[in-house]
């Protein structure tokens, strides 16, 4: 079954106009060699945090435009995001991840930037790289970090997962997927496949973030039933449909490359409940929402 250049009504429920893409980044451009190992590891935590905070402040800010709050990117937005990416990739002590989690960088900066810069494909590509960075689970075999640090990182990840319950955020991700799939022939490049790959890896990361323990006892109702709520959000934003669409033809280059990731995604979705129960839950939730 041919999927490249196909109509993607199944993904979005509508046909998109042909986008005029800005140039996309290549993943290979994002190396971290510009950040010297010795300089990084010799930075005291306070100095490192100051450097990181400066980069975060340069990304952008909320501003009032015609009576509405709009997230406006900063003049050095792209360069600052690249620097933050390098800091994250060198973050062997979790100092950077915990600081960004404490500042709610993903919720207050990255996601508003993603929503406000949908047409800027170059910037969106870079934002997606950072979202993948931040939602990546810590290595379970890493014995150098103490339990408290791992718990703090997991708490940040659970907050990130909650942020993606937003239908607006998931819809923007699906728009990017659909626009890449609509490219035909030579217009469909490896960079468009990389865009799809980043989004799917991001969605897989979110699914694999574990449920918080004893949320009710801790008084954290926001994080209750996160996995179920995320899957329902996926259903409403047509994310589940996109998984099915992309796996119709497993001979396509993108499907071949991400085959194991798709298996991981479907296993994670269905490992805690049967397909019938999941479908019934989604239908019940949709019906309840419509009644309200």
């Amino acid at each position: 079954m041919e999927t490249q250049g196909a109509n993607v009504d199944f993904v979005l429920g509508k046909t998109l106009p042909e986008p005029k893409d800005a140039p996309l980044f290549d993943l290979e451009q994002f190396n971290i060699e510009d950040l010297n190992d010795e300089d990084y590891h010799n930075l005291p935590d306070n100095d490192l945090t100051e450097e990181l905070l400066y980069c975060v402040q340069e990304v952008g800010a909320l501003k009032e435009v015609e009576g509405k709050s709009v997230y406006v990117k900063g003049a050095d937005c792209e360069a600052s995001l690249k620097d933050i990416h390098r800091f994250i990739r060198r973050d062997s002590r979790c100092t950077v991840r915990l600081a960004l989690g404490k500042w709610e960088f993903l919720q207050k900066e990255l996601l508003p930037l993603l929503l406000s810069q949908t047409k800027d494909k170059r910037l969106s590509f870079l934002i997606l790289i950072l979202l993948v960075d931040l939602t990546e689970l810590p290595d379970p075999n890493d014995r150098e970090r103490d339990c408290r640090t791992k718990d703090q990182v997991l708490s940040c990840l659970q907050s990130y997962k909650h942020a993606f319950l937003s239908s607006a955020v998931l819809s923007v991700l699906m728009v990017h997927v659909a626009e890449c799939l609509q490219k035909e022939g030579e217009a469909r490049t490896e960079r468009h496949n990389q865009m799809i790959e980043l989004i799917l890896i991001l969605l897989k990361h979110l699914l694999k973030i574990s449920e918080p323990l004893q949320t009710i006892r801790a008084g954290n109702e926001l994080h209750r039933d996160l996995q179920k709520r995320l899957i329902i959000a996926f259903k409403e934003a047509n994310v589940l449909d996109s998984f099915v669409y992309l796996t119709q033809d497993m001979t396509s280059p993108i499907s071949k490359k991400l085959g194991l990731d798709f298996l991981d995604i479907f296993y994670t979705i269905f490992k805690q409940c049967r397909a019938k129960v999941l479908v019934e839950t989604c239908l019940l939730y949709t019906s309840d929402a419509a009644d309200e």
Side-chain angles (χ1 to χ4, degrees):
M1 182 181 294
E2 186 69 26
T3 59
Q4 182 167 326
N7 188 298
V8 290
D9 289 1
F10 187 71
V11 180
L12 289 178
K14 61 181 180 179
T15 303
L16 292 172
E18 185 65 19
K20 297 181 180 179
D21 288 346
L24 289 175
F25 277 123
D26 192 322
L27 284 177
E28 294 178 358
Q29 295 179 6
F30 283 88
N31 59 69
I32 51 176
E33 300 305 320
D34 295 338
L35 189 62
N36 183 277
D37 269 333
E38 183 176 353
D39 290 345
Y40 176 87
H41 290 294
N42 287 337
L43 276 175
D45 283 351
N46 288 341
D47 291 348
L48 177 61
T49 302
E50 288 179 6
E51 291 283 341
L52 184 64
L53 180 58
Y54 175 79
C55 293
V56 168
Q57 291 172 336
E58 293 299 309
V59 170
L62 278 174
K63 294 186 178 180
E64 290 292 325
V65 178
E66 297 181 355
K68 297 181 180 180
S69 294
V70 178
Y71 194 91
V72 180
K73 68 177 182 180
D76 297 321
C77 177
E78 188 176 303
S80 296
L81 292 176
K82 286 183 181 181
D83 286 338
I84 295 169
H85 167 71
R86 296 187 184 102
F87 276 118
I88 294 172
R89 302 312 295 175
R90 303 277 182 166
D91 188 27
S92 60
R93 297 172 296 190
C94 279
T95 305
V96 173
R97 293 175 187 274
L98 291 177
L100 292 174
K102 180 180 179 181
W103 300 333
E104 298 184 335
F105 173 66
L106 181 144
Q107 299 95 315
K108 293 182 177 179
E109 311 295 336
L110 280 185
L111 293 186
L113 187 63
L114 180 72
L115 292 172
S116 68
Q117 302 296 321
T118 307
K119 294 182 180 180
D120 189 337
K121 303 304 176 185
R122 182 181 175 91
L123 185 59
S124 294
F125 196 92
L126 179 50
I127 294 168
L128 285 168
I129 289 176
L130 282 170
L131 290 173
V132 170
D133 285 341
L134 288 172
T135 56
E136 185 176 10
L137 288 171
D139 184 356
N141 299 318
D142 184 1
R143 298 180 179 179
E144 294 183 5
R145 297 172 187 168
D146 58 35
C147 292
R148 182 180 178 184
T149 299
K150 290 181 179 179
D151 288 344
Q152 289 173 331
V153 172
L154 181 57
S155 178
C156 292
L157 290 171
Q158 289 160 351
S159 295
Y160 297 160
K161 186 169 183 170
H162 182 268
F164 277 90
L165 297 178
S166 165
S167 59
V169 173
L170 294 175
S171 295
V172 165
L173 295 179
M174 291 300 97
V175 167
H176 285 308
V177 169
E179 287 179 349
C180 290
L181 289 173
Q182 283 184 325
K183 295 296 182 180
E184 298 183 8
E186 294 182 357
R188 174 83 172 272
T189 68
E190 180 60 23
R191 295 177 184 179
H192 293 101
N193 287 339
Q194 288 174 340
M195 187 86 153
I196 296 172
E197 178 183 352
L198 281 170
I199 292 172
L200 288 175
I201 297 301
L202 169 61
L203 297 172
K204 183 184 79 169
H205 282 177
L206 294 172
L207 285 167
K208 292 181 76 67
I209 295 171
S210 62
E211 289 281 296
L213 297 175
Q214 300 177 331
T215 52
I216 298 178
R217 184 186 301 177
N220 194 352
E221 290 288 341
L222 286 178
H223 292 174
R224 186 179 181 182
D225 295 329
L226 265 182
Q227 186 74 345
K228 181 175 72 175
R229 293 160 65 196
L230 182 70
I231 293 173
I232 291 171
F234 278 8
K235 185 263 181 186
E236 294 192 327
N238 298 311
V239 175
L240 299 181
D241 289 347
S242 74
F243 292 157
V244 175
Y245 180 86
L246 287 165
T247 53
Q248 289 181 95
D249 177 17
M250 292 306 295
T251 64
S252 66
I254 185 68
S255 295
K256 281 183 177 180
K257 184 176 183 181
L258 297 173
L260 291 177
D261 294 299
F262 280 121
L263 284 175
D264 204 359
I265 285 172
F266 288 127
Y267 170 75
T268 305
I269 289 174
F270 293 115
K271 71 177 180 179
Q272 293 181 334
C273 66
R274 291 175 296 149
K276 181 180 179 180
V277 174
L278 179 62
V279 171
E280 289 175 349
T281 301
C282 288
L283 290 175
L284 179 62
Y285 183 89
T286 303
S287 176
D288 290 343
D291 291 341
E292 292 177 1

